[in-house]
């Protein structure tokens, strides 16, 4: 039966390669024309020999002893690697907020990942002044790239009429999509901060106040968006992963804390000088011991690092986390 599954898997791969090769002859989309080929998550070889080599290599990865579940997971991961990641920005609704003697419009932004097997989406809210600040910040760094990018202007009157709000809602959708289509802008810290910083500030505020359940709820939403926005820089989400570890620790859920700690540690294995590395390693050693896992290898890494470095005070993971996003 295992051999039959392997044959089926290999046949699926051959069919997938044929589909990819066929699709490569079609005209590319506008976004693909504007981006370097290196950005495409799954590149198609032009020569048939290259395709056969890819098939051979993929077939070698398959093990006849793999279970059906393992094979399904393997192909799910393969397909994820072969799709180009794109995000769509939609603003389906708005709401008017009255605060003291002023009022403003909040735009609900839904960020969708296209081509996903899961319904990956994030929902945030931003006001006009947030967009305005983003535009000013980006102009400081990308004035040439944004030369032809139009920003929805304010009007002297009628800012809260339904017609103006709907026009601006559509304009902001186009604005975000245009910014995301520019490689250097979508990878910039200023653009990523616009989409995540307000939520992270709220989450860390809850964490410092001891409201770990609420903090975890927000962080769990943000981490998915951060991962999609920072695929080229996986280390950048380490602080958020570590904040989730701290929340689970204080909620007495060591298993989940260890799970997210492993994700963070895997991103730091070649960045041992990172400020989070040693505090995270200490926490993971403690959690591994508590869960009956292999803590000796973690402890060895810790001792090895301490032997190479001058002894100095290192913050605990929680001390480090609570210092993030302090206004």
């Amino acid at each position: 039966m295992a051999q039959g599954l392997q044959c089926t898997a290999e046949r699926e791969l051959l069919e997938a390669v044929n589909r990819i090769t066929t699709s490569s002859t079609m005209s590319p989309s506008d976004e693909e024309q504007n981006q370097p080929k290196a950005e495409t998550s799954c590149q198609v070889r032009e020569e048939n020999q290259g395709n056969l080599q890819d098939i051979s290599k993929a077939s070698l990865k398959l093990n006849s002893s793999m279970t059906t579940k393992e094979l399904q997971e393997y192909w799910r991961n393969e397909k994820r690697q072969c799709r180009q990641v794109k995000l769509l920005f939609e603003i389906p609704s708005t709401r008017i907020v009255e605060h003291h003697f002023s009022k403003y419009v909040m735009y609900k932004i839904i960020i969708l990942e296209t081509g996903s097997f899961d319904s990956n989406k994030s929902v945030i809210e931003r006001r006009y002044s947030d967009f305005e600040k983003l535009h000013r910040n980006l102009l400081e760094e990308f004035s040439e790239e944004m030369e032809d990018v139009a920003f929805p202007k304010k009007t002297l009157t009628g800012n809260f009429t339904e017609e103006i709000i709907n026009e601006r809602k559509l304009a902001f959708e186009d604005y975000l999509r245009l910014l995301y289509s520019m490689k250097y802008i979508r990878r910039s810290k200023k653009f990523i901060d616009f989409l995540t910083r307000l939520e992270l500030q709220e989450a860390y505020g809850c964490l410092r106040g001891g409201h770990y359940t609420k903090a975890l709820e927000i962080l769990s939403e943000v981490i998915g968006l951060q991962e999609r926005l920072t695929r080229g820089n996986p280390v950048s989400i380490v602080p958020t992963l570590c904040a989730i570890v701290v929340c689970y620790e204080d909620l007495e859920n060591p298993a989940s804390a260890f799970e997210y700690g492993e994700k963070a540690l895997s991103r730091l294995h070649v960045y041992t000088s990172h400020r989070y590395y040693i505090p995270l390693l200490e926490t993971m050693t403690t959690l591994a011991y508590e869960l009956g896992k292999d803590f000796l290898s973690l402890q060895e890494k810790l001792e090895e690092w301490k032997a190479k470095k001058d002894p100095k005070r290192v913050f605990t993971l929680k001390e480090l986390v609570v210092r993030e996003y302090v206004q």
Side-chain angles (χ1 to χ4, degrees), residues 103-201:
K103 63 179 181 179
Y104 50 86
V105 180
M106 294 293 291
Y107 297 87
K108 180 181 179 181
I109 306 170
I110 296 179
I111 305 151
L112 297 165
E113 183 176 350
T114 63
S116 174
F117 295 99
D118 308 311
S119 56
N120 290 329
K121 70 177 182 179
S122 301
V123 181
I124 61 175
E125 279 192 321
R126 296 295 182 266
R127 51 191 292 186
Y128 183 92
S129 59
D130 296 322
F131 282 97
E132 204 171 31
K133 183 180 178 182
L134 168 68
H135 193 72
R136 287 197 308 269
N137 289 340
L138 290 177
L139 280 175
E140 293 175 359
E141 189 174 352
F142 306 104
S143 56
E144 292 185 6
E145 290 87 344
M146 296 183 62
E147 192 173 30
D148 299 322
V149 178
F151 184 79
K153 299 295 183 182
K154 272 188 176 180
T155 57
L156 295 176
T157 57
N159 280 306
F160 299 99
T161 63
E162 185 176 351
E163 182 182 0
I164 293 295
I165 290 174
N166 286 334
E167 286 180 2
R168 195 169 286 164
K169 179 175 69 174
L170 295 174
F172 278 139
E173 277 188 2
D174 292 337
Y175 176 73
L176 288 173
R177 290 169 185 169
L178 182 57
L179 291 181
Y180 185 76
S181 71
M182 303 178 190
K183 179 179 70 173
Y184 294 108
I185 290 181
R186 72 168 172 265
R187 292 181 179 179
S188 70
K189 186 177 184 301
K190 293 175 180 178
F191 182 70
I192 294 171
D193 278 354
F194 169 76
L195 297 171
T196 60
R197 189 175 183 86
L198 292 179
E199 285 70 27
L200 286 171
Q201 285 176 336

Side-chain angles (χ1 to χ4, degrees), residues 12 19 53 57 60 62 72-73 89-90 95 150 179 184 189 218-220 224 237 254 256 267 304:
E12 286 182 4
R19 286 197 298 272
Q53 288 174 354
K57 290 178 182 177
L60 289 173
L62 296 173
Q72 290 172 343
E73 182 63 28
F89 298 86
E90 297 179 0
R95 64 187 178 95
L179 291 181
Y184 294 108
K189 186 177 184 301
I218 301 170
L219 291 169
S220 298
I237 67 169
S256 295
R267 288 163 168 80
E304 182 182 348

Side-chain angles (χ1 to χ4, degrees), residues 289-307:
Y289 179 79
E290 183 179 347
L291 293 168
K293 296 180 178 290
D294 174 25
F295 69 93
L296 292 177
S297 60
L298 295 169
Q299 196 170 41
E300 286 175 6
K301 290 181 182 178
L302 191 60
E303 296 300 327
E304 182 182 348
W305 187 93
K306 288 181 177 179

Side-chain angles (χ1 to χ4, degrees), residues 76-94:
R76 191 177 294 114
N77 291 332
E78 286 293 311
K79 290 176 182 178
R80 283 172 180 164
Q81 292 173 7
C82 289
R83 61 179 169 79
Q84 183 177 1
V85 176
K86 299 178 183 177
L87 296 182
L88 290 180
F89 298 86
E90 297 179 0
I91 303 180
S93 62
T94 61

Side-chain angles (χ1 to χ4, degrees), residues 239-282:
T240 306
L241 289 170
C242 289
I244 293 175
V245 171
V246 169
C247 287
Y248 274 125
E249 266 198 302
D250 281 279
L251 290 171
E252 298 181 355
N253 187 341
S256 295
F258 189 83
E259 177 188 346
Y260 279 90
E262 281 188 315
K263 292 180 181 179
L265 206 54
S266 69
R267 288 163 168 80
L268 294 179
H269 70 281
V270 294
Y271 300 97
T272 57
S273 60
H274 194 282
R275 60 197 174 97
Y276 270 91
Y277 180 70
I278 290 306
L280 177 61
L281 203 53
E282 289 177 334

